[in-house]
Amino acid sequence: MTSKQQMKIEDIIAEYKRNPYQVFTISTPHTGIVSLKVTKGQKVQGTTGKWLERKGTLLYTLVRQGNEKRFYAPIDGEITDLDESLDGQFVEAKTPLMSIKHKLSKEEAINKVLEKFLEIYNAPETAKYYLAPELYQKIEQKGLKKALINPGEELLIMSRMKRDVVLNYEGRPGIIYVIYFKPNTTVNQGDPLLGICPPEQLEFISHLVKRIYLEWE
Amino acid sequence: MIELEKQLLFLEKRLIYLNDIKGEIFGERLNTLQNWLAKLKEQLYTLSAKDVQKNINKISAQISLYEKEAEKKLTPLDYVRIVRHPFRISLKDILENVYDDYVELAGADECNIDPAVVAARATINRKVGHRIYTYQVMVIGHEKGHGEEFRNGGSAKPWGNAKALQFMKVAETEGIPIHSYIFTPGAFPIEDYPGAAQQIARNLYAMAGIRVPIIAFISEGGSGGAEAIGLADLRLMFSHGYYSVISPEGAAAIEGKLKEGKKASPELIRFCAEQLKITAKDNLQLGTIDRIIQEPPLGAKREDYDFFNRLKREVIKATDEVILSVKSLGTLRAYHYKKNGYKDTDNIYVRWQLDEKEIQRLIQKRRQKYRNMGTNFYVDLRSPLHRKVSNLKDKFLYAKTYICYDLLRRPRRRIQQFSEEIKAELLVIFNHLLSPLVKLRNKILPPKLSYLVSEELQEMEKVCLRGGYVSPRAKVDKTISCPNAERYGCYDIWIPDLYSEFCGICPNCGHHFPLEYQWYIHCLFDKNSVKEFNAEIASINPLNYKGFDEKLEEARQKTGRHSAIITFDAKILGIELIVAMLYSDFRGGTVGAAEGEKFVLACERAKRLRRPLLAYVHGTAGIRIQEGTIGVIQMPKCTVAVREYLEAGGLYIVVYDNNSYAGPVASFLGCAPYQFAIRSSKIGFAGPRVIRETTGEDIPPDYHSARNALRRGHIQGIWDRRDFRKNLYMALRTMGGKNLYYR
Amino acid sequence: MEKVLIANRGEIAIRIMRACKALGLEYVVVYTEEDRDSEHVRLGRENGGKVFRIASYTDPNEILEIADFARCTAIHPGYGFLAENYRFARRVTQRSRPLIFIGPRPEVIKELGSKINTKSIAKRLGIPVIPGSDRPIYNEVEAENIGIKLFHQQWEEGIKHPAILVKASAGGGGMGIEEVYDLNQLRAVYRRIKRYAKKHFGDEGVLLEKKLSDFNHIEVQLVCSRHGERVHFGTRNCTIQSIFRQKRIEVAPAFDPDYRYQFDPNEITEKIVSYSLKMAAYLGYDNVGTWEWIVTPEGKFYLLEVNPRIQVESGVSGFISQIKKQPRGVDLVKEQIRLALGEKLKYKQKHISFHGCSIEFRIIAEDTLHGFRPWGGTITKFKLPQHDWLQVHTHVPQDRPYAIPSDYDPNLALILVWGESVAQAKERGKRLLEEIVIEGKNNQGEEIITNIEFLKERLNSIQRFAT
């Protein structure tokens, strides 16, 4: 590792140490009558469990057409910007209700830092994205950080204006390290979709991860 | 002195054991003894040997007294404590002390595919007069290993049971008897191939037809795990063992409707242990075992050599009994046994080998044994006259089938086959003669307009689901969320649509919402073809389990039915079949004596009428725990019936739906050659909670999903509910072929 | 008073809004986050109108929740989205707070929902349909039998190189279709399509049909009331389509009166109109609807399908129509709403007359040279000409930049011209296409691509056959 890289890592770590928070806005997915179940400043717990099978703190319920749905905290943190006036009211889709101020954990900080070192595949257009079926299967079988993608192979399916376009991978062979998008949600143009790591970089990346592990408190 | 020290140590152990099993009834008294013993130990080298011995004798006598006192006060829960105690005899002790020689097969200690299961080729000697005869046997059983951790408490993994089956087959090939020793709290509930449930089912199926005698000895008979090696010709039980449908703790958790992680109160556990009728005496009374082998007070421990001697005699006697009961004997011996019974065999040599005829008799007798089990524990609500009439009807039907299929069909089919052969021969000659002409014509003319003939064309039209049934759930103007909404972006579904047109299926992702069993009866089979039989066979409360009468009544009120299984005749596009349907509305679809009997009767009916048999599992939570081991023995009983049906040439198809778990899957369902699952159903041996509690590990939420069951090879396919009728029809056609004998 | 929920977006939402205003009805507009800059939202807010943000136009629960909250009494589904979803129509009318569905009865929508069912109804009524299977085929042997029959029929008709189409019966929009030129290929193709259909549509039913190589796509516009009254508003010719069979230019009337066809256009028109009316009567059809026909150069015609909804191109029929002595121009959207609310027709067939010719152009941001690929980006300048012979429907604002949302088709505008004759209409069409000004750039800074050149080029071949 060059000293330049070393410096960079240190800068980044310092920056995250200064402000180790990320704010998540919680908005209603659709219309309905909302009932808030948390108070301002309350600490909430996110999804847990090995398979993310245990739900977090109940944030609010939304009743639409006789169906009460419960919405849980996706992540640990503290409730801020709670709009209490909406409690018991009818709301439109995508109405912001509250924010969760989340303190980055060691792993998340690592992921954030990794974004700067991995080759990030950004969304070429604002569209919905899906993993290409073959790649999806590969990841299902082998798991993330194991599946290798070669140039020319199908990477993603971009779905926009009712048309599906296959995106082929270009560039050096790499390992799919992180997936940033969720299927069936619109990704804005330029947002990260995938983090790809060239196989020979794997060692450096794991070294980096170790460094942060040691230094992050 | 060393001898005395040994004796002291032994006393100490006895005291510890006594304290562990029944300490609470003695209170201070045990402490006094303990102090006495401790003091004696200190003074071992100061006192004279004689004095020490005197003291030892005194203490020993006192302990014996206490042991006898404790023995009298043993409660069912104490038996559980006894068999789980590390001092309890284990299979290895029996191999060492009862058999004269043995070679352990497939693994040693930790280096073993499953250390909880031990298989050994063993010899056992018998002295008759001055001669010594040596018998060869296969010993298979669970090894608890006196608390060795890697033995897993004698809880067999699926591959452990597979190993047991492997060596049963070896014994079968070699023609030597199998002695199986059951020391298990239950099977290890994991689904990895070959699967806890499926492997037990395979074992049961195999044992229902194994061609050598099997003698089982039960010390700890934990439900399905016990049955995996327990379908025997003779079942003996140690007097201080227990044999139960579920551990008392497990029963208490269900009884108390406890949330996960909460422990049941000791009172509730004791209550359950008492209600479940788990002791040897209880089981003898229920007819689930044949005999009890008496143990010393508070149960046999590894140093009880007298017991091993007794056990040896019992082992030989039991094997003799099985052999002799099917053997064709000379006149003198026949007279002797007739007079004295098979039990008195001490002084006569019995060859432990059977000829073909005797083997058939053995298997027949074994099957009959299980057929008759539990027949006293349900009621037939029909009046005697009614029963007679329907019996007569059935007999008429059977006779008709016999005439149609056996007497008339066979010769006719032979003639038909013969004429087809002749036609084919002639065609060859004809084609040879005409081939130049045909070639010429093909050159000149465009291909002739010729239709292919297929009689099935029209039939395919009718295999779509039948409509006309509207679920009562469809009447609410509300919406419901699909559980996969987050993953697949499914919209909320309007309930009236979901439960009518959508057949309870999310139109976006295909998730199947549960539907009531009536839907299947109405939509799956031809109109007016469903005719139920044996509806009047009713579940009762055979163990007088407290509070169960009320629950049973509640189930009856709710469903208007008398048991958790519905058996009926039905048709799919004219193909007649017999259906046995377990449904969850009645006590969770649990199987007890009535359900088992009805299933067996359905098998027999299908066999006699030469019809395919469909077991549709709308849901089952397993064996009905309130029926105790009466419930457990439905596993071998029904499996035997399935085997008889299949051997007679039947086509048996199982379709799982919703939640299908435990005993039934581990026996008469899991042994089916064709098993399918409806999408979104869950199939397995034990639920997530039990798995977590026994294995200490979390399982993924989709652990029991049909997809995973398919991946593991437990089932043959996943069916969409909308394709159920079509797939069933196709299955009947393709698996039965064109020459289905019941068409 | 009735209050209409407009369950659609873009230009049709605007047209419905106008029709409601003209009828003096209240209305409520919905939109999705992606559509926040659309003109239909701005117009909805005009005069204190209320608009609601919803998650999706295709989620019935969103639409009905707004309908309940805003106390609407009727729902107009427009076209696309929920318009032909009979379950939605049924739910709207059968829920505990029933609403009026502006469209035909759900039963009718259901009957016409599948092409196969439409075909078999037509057959029952003696209406010609494209030769082939009239129900989904699940059986290979049967598929082969039909294939053999179709080839022989074509041989008998003297067609030298017969061909058939094998389609997934549940498919649509050009997906899961293959052509077969050789009977020996049929089995392989059948199996391929069957697998494809099973995978993509969940149903392995397959259709076989005679393949027609040259034809015109003709439509008959019907208008029916809930009281059993039925009239037609003439025919349209929608032959100019994209490679995915999406219409690009529509003309009313269907045939050019100044051109000599191999057949008598009046006779064909009369026949398909009367067949359409016959089928509408049989079905008890009770709202606006379009009967789509295929006409060959020899004058053979076959019913293709029925669209039980208002169509994009309804405007061209309205443009040339006149009722009694009222000025020329009928708003069929207005008629649709009025009739769905239970009004009587108030005029008869003899009161409807047709004058001149109208052509509609669909202006779309797409690359017609590269597989009609949709173009995405921001429109910076959009100027449409104004003439008294012109109608424009657009949701694209002309006074501010507009980013084309990626979730929907990049349709920009519908422009309709009218002329005394086909020739004049064509002339005006050409002029119009020259006058349109569209500027825009995408994220890579590339200039906007539209289909205007394609429209210009294809304008010459309207109402004509290839041979």
Side-chain angles (χ1 to χ4, degrees):
Chain A
M1 203 169 9
T2 63
S3 61
K4 210 173 163 190
Q5 276 173 322
Q6 195 99 21
M7 285 298 294
K8 208 172 166 193
I9 293 176
E10 260 143 40
D11 282 355
I12 290 164
I13 293 175
E15 188 196 321
Y16 279 107
K17 275 183 180 169
R18 254 197 316 278
N19 180 23
Y21 293 105
Q22 195 177 355
V23 176
F24 290 80
T25 305
I26 305 292
S27 304
T28 53
H30 57 66
T31 59
I33 291 171
V34 75
S35 307
L36 298 173
K37 302 289 175 190
V38 285
T39 50
K40 203 171 261 179
Q42 187 181 331
K43 293 260 185 292
V44 292
Q45 202 192 31
T47 317
T48 52
K50 196 169 165 190
W51 297 274
L52 301 176
E53 78 279 16
R54 296 207 190 108
K55 297 195 163 86
T57 313
L58 179 64
L59 296 180
Y60 65 100
T61 62
L62 196 55
V63 182
R64 182 185 66 173
Q65 295 296 296
N67 185 17
E68 187 193 77
K69 284 198 229 180
R70 299 161 148 257
F71 294 89
Y72 301 89
I75 198 140
D76 295 355
E78 190 188 318
I79 301 291
T80 55
D81 308 327
L82 183 71
D83 190 344
E84 279 146 344
S85 69
L86 293 175
D87 192 25
Q89 299 298 311
F90 175 87
V91 293
E92 293 174 278
K94 302 200 176 150
T95 306
L97 297 176
M98 62 188 87
S99 300
I100 297 178
K101 193 176 172 193
H102 167 70
K103 188 162 193 259
L104 291 175
S105 70
K106 200 181 270 186
E107 283 73 21
E108 286 159 342
I110 286 169
N111 278 337
K112 285 257 160 199
V113 174
L114 275 181
E115 262 184 54
K116 300 188 195 286
F117 286 91
L118 291 171
E119 285 180 17
I120 303 295
Y121 192 94
N122 291 323
E125 304 278 356
T126 300
K128 288 173 179 162
Y129 290 86
Y130 305 89
L131 284 174
E134 270 177 35
L135 183 63
Y136 179 78
Q137 269 184 0
K138 227 192 251 176
I139 291 175
E140 281 268 288
Q141 281 163 12
K142 294 186 180 166
L144 266 180
K145 304 182 189 177
K146 300 256 163 55
L148 186 79
I149 180 113
N150 290 309
E153 286 177 358
E154 292 182 358
L155 185 68
L156 290 163
I157 293 169
M158 175 173 75
S159 180
R160 58 194 289 268
M161 295 175 181
K162 296 201 247 167
R163 210 71 77 75
D164 285 355
V165 180
V166 175
L167 301 176
N168 286 323
Y169 180 65
E170 289 156 13
R172 286 181 296 164
I175 286 157
I176 308 286
Y177 206 87
V178 221
I179 298 175
Y180 294 109
F181 67 96
K182 269 193 213 158
N184 225 347
T185 38
T186 304
V187 181
N188 286 321
Q189 189 255 337
D191 282 0
L193 290 173
L194 299 169
I196 298 166
C197 168
E200 68 273 10
Q201 279 261 21
L202 205 57
E203 204 181 333
F204 166 72
I205 298 269
S206 63
H207 187 85
L208 180 71
V209 170
K210 262 184 223 150
R211 274 286 311 271
I212 304 170
Y213 249 109
L214 289 174
E215 299 205 3
W216 189 266
E217 297 303 318
Chain B
M1 275 306 163
I2 290 170
E3 176 53 31
L4 287 175
E5 213 176 332
K6 251 189 185 169
Q7 284 188 34
L8 270 178
L9 222 64
F10 182 59
L11 281 185
E12 226 169 23
K13 268 179 106 178
R14 273 174 76 186
L15 211 56
I16 290 169
Y17 185 73
L18 178 64
N19 191 31
D20 284 351
I21 301 298
K22 210 64 193 170
E24 73 271 13
I25 61 165
F26 298 105
E28 273 305 301
R29 287 189 287 166
L30 279 191
N31 280 349
T32 321
L33 264 185
Q34 254 157 5
N35 292 341
W36 186 357
L37 200 62
K39 215 165 151 197
L40 192 62
K41 214 169 151 188
E42 265 171 40
Q43 297 170 328
L44 183 61
Y45 295 96
T46 49
L47 284 176
S48 73
K50 216 172 159 190
D51 281 346
V52 174
Q53 187 66 56
K54 227 192 216 162
N55 271 306
I56 285 176
N57 290 349
K58 269 188 192 162
I59 296 171
S60 170
Q62 194 60 41
I63 293 176
S64 296
L65 215 67
Y66 284 173
E67 279 174 351
K68 276 188 194 126
E69 187 185 340
E71 171 78 10
K72 276 187 207 134
K73 291 184 179 163
L74 283 182
T75 66
L77 198 56
D78 295 330
Y79 289 104
V80 179
R81 240 179 262 165
I82 287 170
V83 295
R84 289 182 188 166
H85 202 278
F87 293 173
R88 171 100 180 145
I89 49 162
S90 80
L91 178 55
K92 276 288 183 72
D93 300 330
I94 292 172
L95 278 167
E96 291 283 351
N97 296 301
V98 172
Y99 294 90
D100 292 272
D101 236 334
Y102 76 94
V103 180
E104 196 178 334
L105 306 167
D109 294 342
E110 274 178 286
C111 192
N112 204 324
I113 187 162
D114 183 3
V117 176
V118 163
R121 266 300 239 108
T123 58
I124 189 164
N125 292 341
R126 160 195 255 173
K127 212 172 138 192
V128 178
H130 294 292
R131 267 200 74 177
I132 289 177
Y133 296 95
T134 302
Y135 292 119
Q136 306 245 346
V137 294
M138 182 67 78
V139 176
I140 292 169
H142 306 104
E143 177 57 56
K144 290 176 87 76
H146 302 291
E148 288 168 319
E149 205 165 302
F150 64 89
R151 298 287 186 186
N152 206 4
S155 189
K157 304 226 165 81
W159 39 93
N161 281 327
K163 174 168 95 179
L165 180 60
Q166 179 191 344
F167 289 105
M168 282 188 226
K169 297 269 185 192
V170 172
E172 186 177 35
T173 312
E174 296 181 343
I176 55 174
I178 297 166
H179 292 166
S180 85
Y181 290 88
I182 298 166
F183 284 89
T184 187
F188 200 62
I190 46 175
E191 296 294 332
D192 307 56
Y193 187 82
Q198 310 282 324
Q199 187 56 42
I200 294 174
R202 247 168 254 145
N203 283 18
L204 280 169
Y205 187 80
M207 281 187 282
I210 241 165
R211 295 156 54 85
V212 290
I214 311 173
I215 295 96
F217 303 88
I218 304 171
S219 162
E220 181 175 19
S223 193
E227 295 311 309
I229 56 169
L231 198 159
D233 295 293
L234 205 63
R235 287 150 65 106
L236 281 73
M237 188 162 165
F238 298 144
S239 62
H240 286 64
Y242 81 86
Y243 175 28
S244 172
V245 63
I246 188 171
S247 71
E249 292 87 349
I254 295 172
E255 187 84 10
K257 295 203 170 96
L258 292 179
K259 281 223 170 134
E260 211 176 311
K262 292 252 167 73
K263 282 244 162 25
S265 68
E267 292 77 45
L268 192 60
I269 297 174
R270 192 172 310 125
F271 168 81
C272 288
E274 276 155 23
Q275 297 297 311
L276 286 169
K277 303 281 189 290
I278 60 177
T279 65
K281 266 190 204 146
D282 291 331
N283 274 296
L284 188 65
Q285 233 167 37
L286 296 172
T288 53
I289 58 163
D290 298 289
R291 247 198 335 265
I292 297 173
I293 300 171
Q294 192 54 48
E295 293 180 57
L298 299 189
K301 301 185 289 292
R302 59 196 307 188
E303 296 86 1
D304 288 324
Y305 299 106
D306 286 348
F307 174 71
F308 290 124
N309 280 330
R310 187 159 58 229
L311 181 57
K312 181 171 185 173
R313 270 205 311 281
E314 290 283 352
V315 166
I316 295 174
K317 224 159 75 174
T319 316
D320 280 350
E321 188 182 333
V322 172
I323 299 268
L324 287 171
S325 65
V326 296
K327 222 169 170 57
S328 329
L329 290 171
T331 351
L332 281 178
R333 273 185 297 166
Y335 174 76
H336 173 86
Y337 291 125
K338 203 172 174 189
K339 209 174 144 197
N340 302 315
Y342 295 123
K343 281 163 198 162
D344 177 25
T345 56
D346 274 358
N347 301 312
I348 301 164
Y349 170 65
V350 181
R351 261 177 70 86
W352 285 0
Q353 240 122 33
L354 298 173
D355 65 23
E356 188 55 41
K357 220 157 111 199
E358 291 157 358
I359 290 170
Q360 287 314 318
R361 222 177 289 153
L362 175 78
I363 295 172
Q364 258 327 302
K365 200 156 171 271
R366 188 186 304 152
R367 289 180 179 175
Q368 201 55 44
K369 175 190 175 79
Y370 287 94
R371 174 69 189 87
N372 294 340
M373 271 194 192
T375 38
N376 298 325
F377 302 106
Y378 60 86
V379 290
D380 191 337
L381 302 172
R382 285 174 293 189
S383 66
L385 182 73
H386 192 152
R387 231 175 292 175
K388 249 184 201 155
V389 171
S390 63
N391 257 342
L392 221 62
K393 264 195 207 157
D394 284 350
K395 278 205 178 115
F396 175 72
L397 208 58
Y398 297 152
K400 205 175 109 188
T401 320
Y402 178 74
I403 293 167
C404 287
Y405 286 89
D406 294 69
L407 293 184
L408 301 179
R409 251 282 167 89
R410 260 183 226 156
R412 204 169 63 196
R413 196 180 287 170
R414 240 170 254 156
I415 293 167
Q416 200 183 334
Q417 277 168 6
F418 179 72
S419 74
E420 272 170 15
E421 288 285 312
I422 296 278
K423 261 189 218 157
E425 291 286 317
L426 285 175
L427 205 64
V428 172
I429 303 168
F430 201 63
N431 283 349
H432 265 286
L433 293 173
L434 288 179
S435 66
L437 278 175
V438 172
K439 273 182 195 156
L440 192 70
R441 197 196 60 194
N442 285 349
K443 257 186 193 165
I444 303 166
L445 299 166
K448 203 178 140 196
L449 182 64
S450 62
Y451 291 110
L452 304 162
V453 190
S454 171
E455 48 183 285
E456 288 130 42
L457 288 187
Q458 294 310 307
E459 288 179 1
M460 289 309 295
E461 308 276 292
K462 296 180 237 154
V463 298
C464 307
L465 281 175
R466 283 189 46 234
Y469 172 80
V470 178
S471 164
R473 300 175 202 221
K475 286 168 187 155
V476 221
D477 176 19
K478 275 190 179 179
T479 60
I480 190 169
S481 306
C482 173
N484 298 331
E486 210 172 312
R487 226 169 129 195
Y488 299 110
C490 315
Y491 290 150
D492 290 3
I493 312 161
W494 195 41
I495 287 173
D497 277 343
L498 177 65
Y499 288 115
S500 56
E501 260 183 50
F502 292 157
C503 302
I505 296 169
C506 170
N508 185 50
C509 72
H511 173 80
H512 284 43
F513 289 82
L515 275 186
E516 60 277 7
Y517 70 92
Q518 289 93 339
W519 184 91
Y520 295 89
I521 297 182
H522 280 92
C523 299
L524 223 47
F525 306 105
D526 293 354
K527 212 177 169 189
N528 297 328
S529 72
V530 173
K531 291 196 176 64
E532 190 176 354
F533 55 86
N534 294 330
E536 299 83 358
I537 292 182
S539 285
I540 54 169
N541 182 4
L543 306 183
N544 285 319
Y545 197 103
K546 251 186 220 148
F548 185 59
D549 282 313
E550 292 76 22
K551 285 180 182 167
L552 209 52
E553 183 54 35
E554 199 183 297
R556 264 185 236 123
Q557 294 292 336
K558 190 171 103 187
T559 59
R561 299 188 161 275
H562 300 291
S563 68
I565 193 169
I566 310 171
T567 52
F568 52 89
D569 295 336
K571 283 183 197 173
I572 283 194
L573 289 180
I575 298 182
E576 292 176 305
L577 72 162
I578 308 280
V579 184
M581 183 184 223
L582 279 165
Y583 66 107
S584 51
D585 304 38
F586 192 100
R587 302 293 316 145
T590 48
V591 171
E595 288 78 12
E597 182 68 17
K598 281 179 77 172
F599 181 82
V600 171
L601 288 171
C603 287
E604 286 172 355
R605 187 177 171 86
K607 187 172 114 188
R608 287 209 170 136
L609 294 177
R610 293 170 161 67
R611 287 182 193 163
L613 176 65
L614 167 72
Y616 168 68
V617 190
H618 180 260
T620 179
I623 299 296
R624 186 169 302 153
I625 58 167
Q626 290 89 347
E627 293 197 18
T629 45
I630 302 285
V632 177
I633 49 113
Q634 302 308 317
M635 289 172 65
K637 174 174 171 169
C638 295
T639 310
V640 163
V642 166
R643 178 146 185 166
E644 285 199 306
Y645 169 67
L646 286 176
E647 281 180 354
L651 173 60
Y652 177 45
I653 297 176
V654 170
V655 180
Y656 300 106
D657 201 350
N658 300 318
N659 295 299
S660 308
Y661 281 109
V665 182
S667 57
F668 60 94
L669 301 173
C671 72
Y674 305 112
Q675 299 170 56
F676 298 94
I678 300 295
R679 221 169 132 178
S680 304
S681 59
K682 290 185 167 179
I683 305 130
F685 185 62
R689 172 206 192 120
V690 175
I691 296 181
R692 207 169 295 121
E693 277 164 10
T694 39
T695 69
E697 279 193 33
D698 274 335
I699 52 161
D702 66 343
Y703 188 66
H704 292 110
S705 71
R707 258 181 84 80
N708 278 329
L710 186 64
R711 193 171 284 145
R712 296 181 187 113
H714 297 344
I715 55 173
Q716 275 79 50
I718 297 174
W719 288 356
D720 193 296
R721 187 186 283 145
R722 291 162 293 198
D723 295 338
F724 197 167
R725 184 171 153 89
K726 188 177 99 192
N727 286 346
L728 194 56
Y729 174 71
M730 292 301 285
L732 291 175
R733 303 255 348 181
T734 50
M735 287 160 201
K738 226 182 165 177
N739 298 319
L740 280 177
Y741 64 62
Y742 34 74
R743 286 197 100 224
Chain C
M1 186 161 74
E2 305 290 354
K3 192 171 184 180
V4 179
L5 184 127
I6 303 171
N8 214 305
R9 65 183 290 276
E11 66 84 19
I12 188 66
I14 296 171
R15 268 201 273 168
I16 298 166
M17 237 180 278
R18 282 198 199 123
C20 286
K21 268 186 207 162
L23 289 166
L25 299 172
E26 284 187 57
Y27 56 83
V28 167
V29 168
V30 294
Y31 71 102
T32 61
E33 181 63 21
E34 295 79 21
D35 259 347
R36 62 187 175 272
D37 296 328
S38 165
E39 273 292 285
H40 92 270
V41 185
R42 193 185 62 78
L43 284 171
R45 284 208 181 94
E46 258 180 12
N47 305 327
K50 184 79 184 116
V51 297
F52 290 94
R53 187 171 56 230
I54 56 172
S56 159
Y57 298 109
T58 48
D59 188 347
N61 308 300
E62 286 288 86
I63 304 293
L64 291 169
E65 183 72 9
I66 298 296
D68 286 347
F69 180 71
R71 306 305 294 173
C72 294
T73 56
I75 292 185
H76 197 308
Y79 50 71
F81 298 133
L82 295 163
E84 286 173 88
N85 184 332
Y86 74 88
R87 291 196 189 93
F88 176 67
R90 188 173 59 190
R91 180 171 166 193
V92 165
T93 49
Q94 291 183 359
R95 60 209 296 272
S96 44
R97 195 178 84 85
L99 305 165
I100 295 166
F101 181 77
I102 301 180
R105 292 179 295 132
E107 296 80 11
V108 174
I109 304 178
K110 188 181 179 186
E111 285 279 333
L112 299 170
S114 93
K115 284 190 188 185
I116 309 159
N117 194 46
T118 309
K119 222 171 153 180
S120 74
I121 294 173
K123 262 195 167 174
R124 227 176 296 155
L125 298 173
I127 297 170
V129 291
I130 300 173
S133 50
D134 53 359
R135 55 192 171 80
I137 308 299
Y138 295 93
N139 181 304
E140 200 166 280
V141 177
E142 190 178 11
E144 261 182 9
N145 283 347
I146 293 172
I148 293 169
K149 208 162 105 185
L150 287 173
F151 265 84
H152 276 269
Q153 275 175 3
Q154 294 183 60
W155 274 319
E156 279 160 24
E157 283 174 30
I159 296 168
K160 285 219 179 89
H161 303 290
I164 56 176
L165 289 179
V166 181
K167 300 182 184 178
S169 93
M175 307 262 286
I177 298 187
E178 270 195 63
E179 295 166 7
V180 176
Y181 296 96
D182 180 353
L183 260 179
N184 294 324
Q185 292 171 356
L186 180 59
R187 190 171 283 227
V189 172
Y190 170 80
R191 285 186 182 165
R192 197 155 52 228
I193 295 291
K194 182 170 149 175
R195 270 198 306 273
Y196 182 91
K198 176 90 185 166
K199 195 174 156 199
H200 290 268
F201 312 116
D203 178 71
E204 49 183 35
V206 165
L207 285 184
L208 290 99
E209 234 172 52
K210 175 178 167 181
K211 195 210 163 205
L212 297 164
S213 46
D214 184 17
F215 55 83
N216 266 10
H217 186 111
I218 307 296
E219 297 179 344
V220 175
Q221 177 68 55
L222 297 195
V223 173
C224 313
S225 76
R226 303 260 200 241
H227 306 282
E229 301 155 300
R230 281 177 290 276
V231 295
H232 71 87
F233 274 80
T235 56
R236 295 187 285 263
N237 192 324
C238 313
T239 311
I240 310 296
Q241 300 182 351
S242 78
I243 49 171
F244 299 107
R245 302 206 164 184
Q246 286 166 329
K247 294 160 194 166
R248 289 295 178 261
I249 302 179
E250 298 97 341
V251 191
F255 299 113
D256 184 349
D258 303 324
Y259 178 76
R260 275 186 64 87
Y261 294 94
Q262 286 180 43
F263 51 84
D264 175 7
N266 290 333
E267 186 197 324
I268 301 291
T269 304
E270 201 176 293
K271 273 187 183 158
I272 58 175
V273 165
S274 72
Y275 274 135
S276 302
L277 283 165
K278 182 177 176 185
M279 189 155 160
Y282 173 81
L283 290 166
Y285 200 87
D286 60 347
N287 201 248
V288 298
T290 302
W291 266 250
E292 296 197 343
W293 297 83
I294 293 288
V295 178
T296 68
E298 305 82 38
K300 280 201 174 148
F301 57 89
Y302 310 105
L303 180 69
L304 192 63
E305 60 173 317
V306 181
N307 291 322
R309 55 171 160 89
I310 191 77
Q311 277 192 293
V312 180
E313 60 272 26
S314 61
V316 284
S317 299
F319 217 171
I320 61 163
S321 306
Q322 183 174 19
I323 297 169
K324 292 179 189 165
K325 295 285 176 230
Q326 291 162 19
R328 177 177 53 78
V330 177
D331 184 357
L332 292 176
V333 179
K334 199 175 98 187
E335 292 301 290
Q336 180 192 21
I337 298 171
R338 192 171 68 79
L339 297 171
L341 296 180
E343 277 192 30
K344 284 206 164 190
L345 210 47
K346 295 178 191 161
Y347 49 84
K348 296 216 163 58
Q349 188 67 57
K350 63 178 180 199
H351 299 129
I352 304 167
S353 55
F354 306 110
H355 306 279
C357 168
S358 173
I359 305 174
E360 177 182 81
F361 302 94
R362 301 195 188 188
I363 313 292
I364 297 170
E366 63 183 357
D367 189 350
T368 56
L369 300 176
H370 295 96
F372 288 77
R373 203 164 55 198
W375 183 91
T378 303
I379 293 174
T380 48
K381 193 172 178 190
F382 190 46
K383 283 270 171 288
L384 297 173
Q386 290 182 334
H387 299 288
D388 52 358
W389 41 265
L390 199 69
Q391 271 182 28
V392 172
H393 305 297
T394 181
H395 64 283
V396 178
Q398 298 184 42
D399 55 350
R400 57 184 193 270
Y402 175 74
I404 303 173
S406 70
D407 291 23
Y408 312 106
D409 286 331
N411 294 350
L412 304 181
L414 293 180
I415 307 186
L416 293 79
V417 297
W418 182 85
E420 298 275 2
S421 62
V422 174
Q424 191 189 29
K426 270 184 174 174
E427 203 53 48
R428 287 177 170 175
K430 261 182 212 141
R431 186 173 150 200
L432 155 86
L433 291 172
E434 293 294 342
E435 286 172 354
I436 297 174
V437 180
I438 305 180
E439 284 169 23
K441 281 204 166 56
N442 68 4
N443 295 313
Q444 281 81 44
E446 293 156 350
E447 289 293 326
I448 188 170
I449 302 170
T450 68
N451 64 345
I452 291 180
E453 282 310 311
F454 171 83
L455 296 174
K456 279 187 203 164
E457 187 192 315
R458 299 307 299 274
L459 179 56
N460 297 317
S461 50
I462 57 165
Q463 298 175 317
R464 297 286 186 274
F465 290 92
T467 49

